[in-house]
Amino acid sequence: MYDYHVHTNYSDGTFLRRMVDAAADAGLDGVGIADHCNVSPEPGAEAFKRAFGFNLDLTYERRREAIERVREDPTVDVDVFDAVEMDYDPDHEGAIAEFLDEAGFDYAIGSVHDLDGVNVHAQSHFADMPEAERRELVDRYFEKLVALVDAELFAIAAHPDLIERNPHLRGFATADHYAAVTEAFADSRTVPEINAGRLLDDYGEFHPAPPLFDRLADAGLRMSVGTDSHEPGVISPRLDEIEAELARRGIDPVSPAELADG
């Protein structure tokens, strides 16, 4: 079992070694260090990443040195992958492609986090919007997600219905949205992620949530596993739930070799 999606202190998670040790303790064969990264040239994005420390575009080489030291430690009994979770916007594909080519990560995860210039987790921004506007933003979310998959820049598409975490955007996804996303994945090397980042807290579901999960599974699509953990104590319980869901659905997740082959 591989967890391709955890975060460390190189973005908004806990010290790298603690995350690796927790992955080993959970019985994982491998763990992917996939810290947040954004290379958008827009002033707002620049200000956000500086304010919150999402500076992997500047620190990935330093993190790579830390990963190499962990890999060389004979007491570490888990494979460690040098990865990235990259914010995606179709307007910035050129900058993203250039950076990923330069950085040479083991693999890249793509994520759609922003709508209306704001992170989808910012509930207050969307709370007072008319329903029609929120529906239009959900349309835009899925347009961006399909563009991410079509771009072929990423091995994995993270939490493919992230909007469901926001109660003011939840429930607006349609069968047409799911059909478009499923078709895009079927034609792409990019695989959807089974993400447990909010499974055991307020949201209480996997990403994708059941309606989209069912679609992707019924289409026989390859999937990856990500606990999306930011602290060591949640890796093991999230992994237990993922393993149970994989067994229930009869899903065999992708291997590192399959990700590399694309």
Side-chain angles (χ1 to χ4, degrees):
M1 176 63 73
Y2 294 86
D3 179 357
Y4 296 106
H5 186 167
V6 307
H7 297 279
T8 74
N9 54 304
Y10 282 86
S11 59
D12 58 348
T14 301
F15 291 123
L16 190 152
R17 180 57 188 262
R18 292 182 184 174
M19 297 301 288
V20 171
D21 287 345
D25 291 343
L28 284 163
D29 296 294
V31 61
I33 308 301
D35 285 300
H36 293 285
C37 187
N38 188 310
V39 294
S40 167
E42 294 182 356
E46 288 282 346
F48 178 87
K49 68 184 184 180
R50 298 297 179 262
F52 290 93
F54 290 8
N55 298 314
L56 195 69
D57 56 323
L58 302 178
T59 62
Y60 72 91
E61 292 175 312
R62 182 171 296 179
R63 192 193 69 172
R64 183 163 294 156
E65 292 176 3
I67 289 173
E68 286 298 334
R69 286 195 293 273
V70 170
R71 287 170 170 169
E72 292 167 2
D73 187 333
T75 67
V76 174
D77 189 26
V78 63
D79 291 336
V80 183
F81 302 109
D82 175 16
V84 63
E85 182 182 2
M86 174 66 69
D87 285 335
Y88 173 80
D89 189 291
D91 292 338
H92 306 137
E93 275 191 16
I96 294 168
E98 182 178 355
F99 174 73
L100 292 178
D101 184 61
E102 170 193 308
F105 296 105
D106 292 334
Y107 60 87
I109 299 174
S111 300
V112 176
H113 283 113
D114 288 354
L115 285 174
D116 198 32
V118 176
N119 192 292
V120 298
H121 296 302
Q123 296 186 17
S124 61
H125 177 79
F126 303 95
D128 296 326
M129 283 186 175
E131 180 178 317
E133 290 185 24
R134 287 181 282 140
R135 287 186 179 276
E136 288 176 1
L137 286 175
V138 171
D139 289 342
R140 179 58 179 153
Y141 173 84
F142 282 101
E143 289 170 2
K144 292 175 76 171
L145 178 60
V146 168
L148 181 159
V149 177
D150 289 345
E152 301 281 357
L153 292 171
F154 309 101
I156 298 168
H159 36 61
D161 55 359
L162 186 66
I163 49 155
E164 296 295 331
R165 290 188 190 178
N166 188 320
H168 308 295
L169 300 174
R170 188 178 304 153
F172 295 146
T174 67
D176 287 342
H177 292 142
Y178 297 152
V181 169
T182 303
E183 182 178 354
F185 278 122
D187 293 335
S188 175
R189 75 176 185 90
T190 303
V191 300
E193 175 189 62
I194 302 168
N195 182 294
R198 294 292 177 90
L199 179 65
L200 300 178
D201 53 23
D202 55 338
Y203 175 55
E205 294 278 6
F206 286 107
H207 292 292
L212 180 54
F213 204 153
D214 291 344
R215 283 268 192 151
L216 299 176
D218 289 346
L221 295 176
R222 301 156 63 238
M223 297 190 193
S224 74
V225 165
T227 64
D228 201 355
S229 297
H230 294 70
E231 56 189 59
V234 300
I235 293 178
S236 185
R238 290 178 182 178
L239 184 65
D240 288 344
E241 295 295 330
I242 289 174
E243 288 183 315
E245 186 70 6
L246 292 174
R248 187 180 74 81
R249 290 180 175 270
I251 293 174
D252 186 18
V254 296
S255 68
E258 288 178 295
L259 279 187
D261 290 343

